[in-house]
Amino acid sequence: MSKRAKKGQEQEKRRRRGRLEDERPLVPRSGSRSREVRVLYVACEGESTEPDYLEYLNEQFGDGDGNGRPPFRIQPVPRKDGRTPSGIVEAVRRVADKDEAWAFFDRDQWNDIPQAVNAAARSRVELAFSHPSFDLWLLLHFQPFGGEQSGSSKGVVEKLRKAKGADAFKEYGKKGEKSITGARRDALKDRESKAVAHARSLVSSCAHGFCEPGHAKTEPVGDDAGPQSTQEWAARSGHAPACPVLQRDPSTDVWRLLVALGIVGQKPGKGKPAEMRASSSTSV
C-alpha cells in the first residue's frame, strides 16, 4: 500500500472516530481542549428536525456543566446512509465502529421496524424509537400527551402548534418546514426535565405489560457484556420484554439519550430545569 493510501486511511479513521485529531477539533466554548469528550454517533430518519435537535444538544450541553457531567459531542450520520429503520441502524453501525451508536426513527408506516430492532440488538445500537414520530418528543416539552395515534402525527403536530409556551411552533410542519432553530430552540430550552418526565409517564401508562421507566437502561453497554435478545434490547427503553414495539403507542425513547448524557437525572425529580437550579442556589 502506498504512503498516500495509508495516510488517507488514517485520516478517514480519525474523522469517523471523532477523536482530538478530528478535522473539527473538540474545543469547548471556553476555548480550552478537553480529552474527556464522550462521542456518540446518531443516525436519523429525519432530514432536518432530528439533526437540528442534536445540534441543539451539542451547543447547549456539549461542554458539560462543571459539576461532574462530562462534555460530549454527537456526530450525526448523514441521511443518505439510510432512510428505513433497518438502513438507519446499519448506517450508524458501519460508521460508529466501536464508538457509541444510536438510531432515531419513527413508527410512521414502516414495515421493517422488527428487523431494525433485531439488527440493533446484534450490533448494540441504542434505539430512540418514537411512536408516532419525533414530533411527540417536541410536544412533551410543553405538555403531557396520551391516546393511540395509529402511526399518524397529525394530532401531535396540531397539539404542538397550540401548546402553551410553544408560540415558535405555530407554523411547524406547514409546507414541510420542521426545522429546530432560532426561536424554536429557545422555546425548548430549560424544558428538558419536563419532557423526560412526560416521556417516562408514557412508559408507565403503557397498556402492554409491566412497563416501568425505572427499568430503562441508559448506561453504555461495555465490550465485555454478553449478547442480548431482541426482546431484551427493546426493553432497554423501560418497556417490558413482552411489550410489542409496534404497540407502544404513543411513546418516545429520546428521553433515554438525555438521561444517558446526564442532561437530566437518572431518577424522576433528580434533573431540574436550569432556572430551578439557579433559584435553588440563590435562596437563603
Side-chain angles (χ1 to χ4, degrees), residues 11 19-20 22 47 70 72 81 101 109 113 116 120 127 152 172 176 179-180 187 200 227-229 255 269 278 280:
Q11 289 176 338
R19 303 307 186 200
L20 274 177
D22 194 303
E47 194 169 6
F72 63 82
D81 287 334
Q109 298 300 326
I113 290 176
L127 298 173
S152 172
Y172 181 82
S179 64
I180 305 297
R200 280 173 162 146
Q228 293 191 30
S229 68
W255 69 274
S280 297

Side-chain angles (χ1 to χ4, degrees), residues 120-163:
R122 294 197 309 269
S123 306
R124 297 183 183 181
V125 173
E126 294 284 3
L127 298 173
F129 171 61
S130 296
H131 194 329
S133 67
F134 184 81
D135 303 321
L136 172 62
W137 171 246
L138 300 176
L139 174 60
L140 295 180
H141 285 71
F142 305 98
Q143 66 177 64
F145 185 79
E148 293 186 10
Q149 302 301 300
S150 302
S152 172
S153 297
K154 182 178 180 180
V156 175
V157 171
E158 288 177 352
K159 288 283 188 181
L160 177 59
R161 290 172 181 165
K162 299 176 182 178

